[in-house]
């Protein structure tokens, strides 16, 4: 009987991608994956450290694994991801049921660590090794692939926003060589993947070695990827406003495979707070950037990230954030109450009272929800293309994503992986309905 592996993923899309790659590495070791922790021989928690809640969740989940391990002493438990990187051996001290702790840059060492665990040896690996972990992980097998896939092209961050742990957990910016990315994309396209989302903590800071010996920008990489037959849609996330280069903006205007949706976090609309956050851009420069992007691609849907209750945020600062949201008009936005993270500069500052931050978060989310609904409503009557991904909730229905990343369902028998023109007929809170034209 092959051993069974259960992976639980927290946090961002890069963790989703990493979990897939870890699973592939363990499958090459003879494991099979399972969706049920109870039947697993090995459980890996791929963790997130971005906010306190996310990090603490890991410990409560580990607590819940305790009876499972008591009943099944051979069960091996691993902690991967950003909590593993941030806390390392401390996790073993706090949670003796854990067998291995592996940081995001060391996943190629997971199989060896799992073998050590089987011998009863605990291990911790939070190095930032010279070699590229992805070069040591197996090629992507077809079985697990869907019509859409993530592909990490860049990892790490050199920006050091005052609130953020990512520069510490993911290390400094590293771009993968273009050749490896193109090869991985071709493998994915050959196996039926039609849409790829390029991932990076600062994906538009990409500057990898090109196949011509030069340094390639993200725009150049996108244009080369667009030449791959069968690969029809390209997206990228997350981008930083300061790395939105002219060639990338231009690509939004003339590269048809680059989808008209852009996640462009700004965090706050107050220059005072942006400065305190060490964002190195102003509300005004962000607005000008949005104008230039919309000039290149007028129908682009923008999304953003916002933090409310950053230390020192006044009502006036918060009002400036609300003004910026009104001025931009987002199709989607993610908002968070500021969470003090150990080791970051902002954690030393006096926090905004929780009640005030809660009220601001509610007000901001209400505004954003209104904009999101309006954006969806504006799609009604329009023709969009949809990449169908899977059967819908009702029989005879398929769901997929539009160019603008809206979930769309339609009555159709068309198989997963088909791109079709769809006329949008109605908008529900979280999805659109349409008919295939
Ligand atoms: N590299 C990306 C994503 C960073 S993490 C970027 O620069 O946009 C995703 C989001 O989490 C951030 O955009 C920010 O809005 C939020 N975030 C990060 N640290 C946080 C903290 N300490 N408290 C609350 N939200 C935080
Ligand atoms: Fe964090 Fe700022 Fe880097 Fe984004 S740009 S990962 S928010 S430090
Ligand atoms: Fe979380 Fe690490 Fe991603 S902290 S958001 S899993 S980069």
């Amino acid at each position: 009987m092959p051993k069974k592996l259960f992976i639980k993923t927290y946090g961002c899309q890069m963790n989703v991608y990493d979990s897939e790659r870890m699973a592939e590495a363990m499958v090459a070791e003879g494991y099979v994956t399972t969706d049920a922790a109870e039947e697993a021989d090995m459980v890996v928690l791929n963790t997130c450290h971005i906010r306190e809640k996310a990090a603490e969740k890991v410990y409560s989940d580990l607590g819940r694994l305790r009876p499972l391990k008591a009943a099944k002493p051979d069960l091996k438990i691993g902690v991967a991801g950003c909590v593993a990187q941030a806390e390392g051996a401390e996790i073993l001290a706090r949670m003796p049921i854990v067998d291995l702790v592996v940081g995001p840059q060391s996943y190629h060492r997971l199989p060896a660590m799992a073998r050590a665990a089987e011998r009863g040896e605990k291990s911790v690996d939070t190095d930032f090794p010279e070699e590229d972990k992805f070069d040591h992980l197996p090629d992507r097998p077809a079985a697990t692939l869907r019509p859409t896939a993530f592909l990490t092209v860049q990892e790490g961050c050199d920006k050091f926003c005052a609130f953020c742990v990512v520069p510490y957990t993911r290390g400094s910016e590293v771009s993968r060589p273009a050749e490896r990315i193109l090869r991985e994309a071709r493998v994915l396209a050959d196996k039926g993947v039609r849409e790829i989302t390029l991932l990076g903590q600062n994906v538009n800071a990409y500057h990898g070695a090109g196949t011509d010996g030069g340094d390639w920008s993200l725009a150049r990489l996108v244009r080369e990827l667009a030449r791959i037959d069968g690969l029809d849609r390209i997206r990228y996330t997350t981008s930083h406003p300061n790395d939105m280069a002219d060639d990338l903006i231009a690509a939004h205007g003339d590269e048809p495979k680059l989808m008209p949706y852009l996640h462009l976090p700004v965090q706050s609309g107050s220059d005072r707070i942006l400065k305190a956050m060490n964002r190195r851009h102003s509300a005004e420069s962000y607005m000008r950037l949005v104008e230039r992007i919309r000039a290149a691609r007028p129908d682009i849907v923008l999304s953003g990230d916002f933090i409310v209750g950053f230390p020192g945020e006044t009502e006036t600062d918060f009002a400036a954030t609300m003004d910026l949201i009104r001025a931009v008009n987002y199709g989607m936005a993610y908002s968070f109450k500021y969470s003090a993270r150990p080791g970051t500069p902002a954690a030393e500052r006096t926090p905004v009272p929780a009640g005030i931050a809660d009220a601001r978060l509610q007000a901001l989310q209400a505004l954003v929800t209104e904009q999101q609904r309006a954006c969806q409503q504006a799609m009604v009557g329009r023709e969009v293309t949809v990449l169908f991904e899977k059967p819908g909730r009702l029989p005879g229905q398929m769901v997929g994503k539009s160019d603008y990343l809206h979930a769309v369902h339609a009555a159709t028998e068309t198989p997963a992986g088909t791109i079709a023109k769809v006329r949008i007929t109605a908008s529900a809170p979280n999805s659109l309905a349409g008919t295939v034209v």
Side-chain angles (χ1 to χ4, degrees), residues 209-225:
T211 55
D212 55 6
D215 217 23
W216 282 10
S217 64
L218 185 67
R220 179 73 199 275
L221 182 66
V222 164
R223 292 198 190 276
E224 295 295 327
L225 286 164

Side-chain angles (χ1 to χ4, degrees), residues 148-166:
T148 63
F150 293 133
L151 203 176
T152 293
V153 303
Q154 180 277 340
E155 215 174 325
C157 179
D158 298 337
K159 300 273 192 292
F160 291 92
C161 297
F163 50 81
C164 184
V165 294
V166 171

Side-chain angles (χ1 to χ4, degrees), residues 383-428:
E383 241 176 53
V384 296
T385 68
V386 173
L387 168 54
F388 286 106
E389 291 172 35
K390 57 183 184 212
R393 245 178 300 156
L394 302 177
Q397 211 182 45
M398 290 291 289
V399 290
K401 296 274 166 58
S402 78
D403 335 33
Y404 306 99
L405 210 56
H406 287 129
V408 177
H409 53 88
T412 173
E413 304 282 300
T414 188
T418 312
I419 295 177
K421 277 219 176 304
V422 171
R423 181 171 294 281
I424 302 301
T425 52
S427 168

Side-chain angles (χ1 to χ4, degrees), residues 253-328:
D254 59 21
E255 178 45 67
K257 289 187 179 181
L258 188 56
M259 291 291 102
Y261 181 99
L262 178 62
H263 185 56
L264 197 62
V266 62
Q267 315 297 354
S268 168
S270 153
D271 286 342
R272 219 175 57 81
I273 293 298
L274 288 169
K275 194 160 195 305
M277 285 177 164
N278 191 33
R279 286 291 293 184
R280 298 167 197 268
H281 59 73
S282 65
E284 172 65 24
S285 68
Y286 181 84
M287 287 307 305
R288 278 204 305 270
L289 175 61
V290 165
E291 277 165 24
R292 282 167 54 221
I293 296 165
R294 284 197 169 131
R297 183 75 205 232
D299 61 339
I300 199 162
V301 168
L302 293 174
S303 72
D305 285 345
F306 295 90
I307 295 178
V308 300
F310 186 78
E313 185 186 71
T314 63
E315 278 307 318
T316 314
D317 295 320
F318 178 64
T321 300
M322 296 290 272
D323 286 345
L324 179 139
I325 295 173
R326 283 186 203 98
V328 172

Side-chain angles (χ1 to χ4, degrees), residues 39-40 49 93 97 105 119 132 162 164 177 218 228 231 235 255 257 269 275 293 327 336 373 379 381 387 389 436:
E39 59 176 41
H49 202 242
I97 60 162
Q105 303 312 327
R119 294 192 301 269
D132 181 353
C164 184
L218 185 67
I228 297 177
L231 179 61
R235 305 180 188 276
E255 178 45 67
K257 289 187 179 181
K275 194 160 195 305
I293 296 165
F336 312 97
R373 299 254 162 96
M379 295 290 161
L387 168 54
E389 291 172 35
V436 175

